[in-house]
Amino acid sequence: MRRVVVDTDTGIDDAHTLLYLAGRPDAEIVAITSVYGNCSEEDATRNIGYVNGLLGLDVPVARGAAEPLRGPAHIAGYVHGKDGLGDLGRDRPLPRVSAESGPELLVRLADEQPGELDLLALGPLTNLALALRIDPELFTKYRSVVLMGGSGPYAPPGTLLMIDANVNNDPEAARAVFAAPRRELVMVGVNVTAGTILDEHDIAALRATRTPVARFAVEILDAYLDFYQNEWGRRIIPLHDPLAAGVLLDRTFATAWTDGPVNVRGDGFLWRARLMRTHDGLPPAFAYDPAPPTRVITAVDARRFVTDFVAVLTR
C-alpha cells in the first residue's frame, strides 16, 4: 500500500490521475495541495474539490503557490481550458481547505509520519521548493518523491522533445528540488510520458462505460484532444501525470532507468531538467553542477500501463 500526498495544478490529466489513484486498491490519497500551472491556483483548488466530491474523498486540502519563485505565472489555459477542466461550466465551489499552506502541510505530514508517505508532484515544483526552505531535509522523510517533469538524459541528435512544462514554469524551484538531499527522488519526464498514449480505442472504452468516474474522465477530454490533435493529426493524448502515478505504485511499469545527477538548464527559450548523461550514457561535453542521484526513468511499458489505467477507470 502506498499512502500518497499529491501536489497538483489540477488540469485534465491531473484529474485523471486522482481518479486512477482512488481506483487502485494499493493506493491511498492522504492529502492534496494545489499549485498554479495548468490553471490558476484557485481553479486548481476548485478542481480538487470537484474531483474529491465525485469520488467521495474526504482528505485535507491545502492551497499552495499561485506563482513561481520568480516572475509571473504561465497558465496553460490553451491546453486544459481556462478553468483547467475543459471549460464545461461545472459548478466548482472552493472546498474546505486547511489553515496551513500547501508547503506547510507537506512539511508537517512528513514530520508526523516519516518514511510512511510518498509525495507525488504533478505541477510546477514551487510548493516543494518552498517546503524545502522550511525543512531542507524534507525529502529524506518521504518514502519516495516522484515527479512528473524533466526531460530524461540528452536525446539522440536530431530528436525533439515535448516541452518540459513543469520545470519550465519554475526553473528556480526545480533547481532546488534536484539539489536537495533525499531518500528516493524519481523523475518521470516527457521523454517517457509523451509516448504513453491513450488512443482512440482506449477513449472508446472509457466512453462506453457509464459510471460517473468514466463519464467524467471522457467529458473533460475534449479540450485536451483539441490541443493534441495538432501534434499528431489524431484525437489522442499522452498520459503525462497518470504515468507518474503508475510508476510510483508499480515500478515494473518502468523498464529502464539511470541514477545520476540532474541539472536544470536553459537554452535561451525553455528550461529543462536533464540527467547529465547523453543518450548513450556518456557525460555531457560541458561542466555541470554536482547533485545527489535522481532515478531518471528512461523507458516504460507504455501499453501495459495504459491498459491498467483504462481498466481502473472503467471498473
Side-chain angles (χ1 to χ4, degrees):
M1 172 65 70
R2 294 275 182 169
R3 303 179 63 238
V4 186
V5 179
V6 183
D7 183 69
T8 175
D9 57 339
T10 329
I12 292 167
D13 60 331
D14 306 71
H16 285 161
T17 304
L18 293 175
L19 301 180
Y20 176 72
L21 287 169
R24 284 276 304 232
D26 54 352
E28 176 191 355
I29 299 173
V30 172
I32 308 174
T33 56
S34 64
V35 67
Y36 71 93
N38 292 329
C39 52
S40 70
E41 181 278 324
E42 179 176 316
D43 278 315
T45 304
R46 291 180 184 275
N47 295 344
I48 291 167
Y50 187 91
V51 175
N52 284 354
L54 176 69
L55 294 169
L57 188 63
D58 184 15
V59 299
V61 175
R63 298 186 65 170
E67 58 188 10
L69 298 180
R70 188 176 303 171
H74 176 78
I75 304 299
Y78 54 91
V79 181
H80 297 264
K82 186 172 183 291
D83 70 359
L85 291 182
D87 292 331
L88 299 177
R90 298 177 185 275
D91 184 27
R92 301 169 301 117
L94 278 170
R96 185 179 74 253
V97 296
S98 169
E100 299 170 291
S101 70
E104 289 169 338
L105 181 62
L106 296 181
V107 171
R108 178 174 63 80
L109 290 174
D111 281 339
E112 292 177 349
Q113 303 172 71
E116 297 180 17
L117 304 176
D118 296 279
L119 176 56
L120 176 64
L122 304 177
L125 298 173
T126 314
N127 284 340
L128 276 64
L130 291 171
L132 285 167
R133 290 181 178 179
I134 301 170
D135 181 1
E137 299 295 318
L138 176 68
F139 292 171
T140 69
K141 300 174 183 178
Y142 278 96
R143 181 178 177 183
S144 72
V145 180
V146 178
L147 313 176
M148 192 280 115
S151 297
Y154 283 89
T159 301
L160 296 177
L161 290 175
M162 194 171 287
I163 185 172
D164 188 354
N166 288 339
V167 169
N168 189 62
N169 278 350
D170 194 342
E172 185 174 336
R175 192 173 289 113
V177 165
F178 287 109
R182 74 288 304 266
R183 179 179 298 212
E184 181 183 46
L185 180 64
V186 180
M187 186 171 92
V188 184
V190 294
N191 55 305
V192 289
T193 64
T196 303
I197 300 297
L198 192 75
D199 66 17
E200 296 90 346
H201 174 78
D202 304 314
I203 294 168
L206 286 172
R207 202 178 300 278
T209 305
R210 304 308 300 165
T211 64
V213 163
R215 188 164 60 247
F216 169 71
V218 167
E219 286 172 353
I220 63 175
L221 269 181
D222 275 340
Y224 219 31
L225 293 167
D226 289 346
F227 176 79
Y228 277 108
Q229 70 185 6
N230 296 315
E231 291 289 326
W232 297 303
R234 295 167 58 187
R235 291 183 66 77
I236 57 179
I237 63 164
L239 292 174
H240 293 297
D241 291 342
L243 179 63
V247 169
L248 188 159
L249 298 177
D250 182 352
R251 295 302 167 84
T252 67
F253 286 133
T255 57
W257 57 84
T258 299
D259 295 336
V262 169
N263 280 193
V264 176
R265 300 184 63 91
D267 60 8
F269 298 97
L270 297 171
W271 294 89
R272 292 185 182 275
R274 291 190 183 271
L275 174 70
M276 291 292 99
R277 297 289 183 271
T278 62
H279 74 282
D280 50 3
L282 298 175
F286 49 80
Y288 57 87
D289 295 331
T294 295
R295 173 148 294 185
V296 178
I297 306 303
T298 56
V300 296
D301 189 339
R303 189 65 247 168
R304 188 166 72 86
F305 170 71
V306 173
T307 299
D308 183 63
F309 175 82
V310 173
V312 170
L313 267 61
T314 55
R315 282 191 186 126

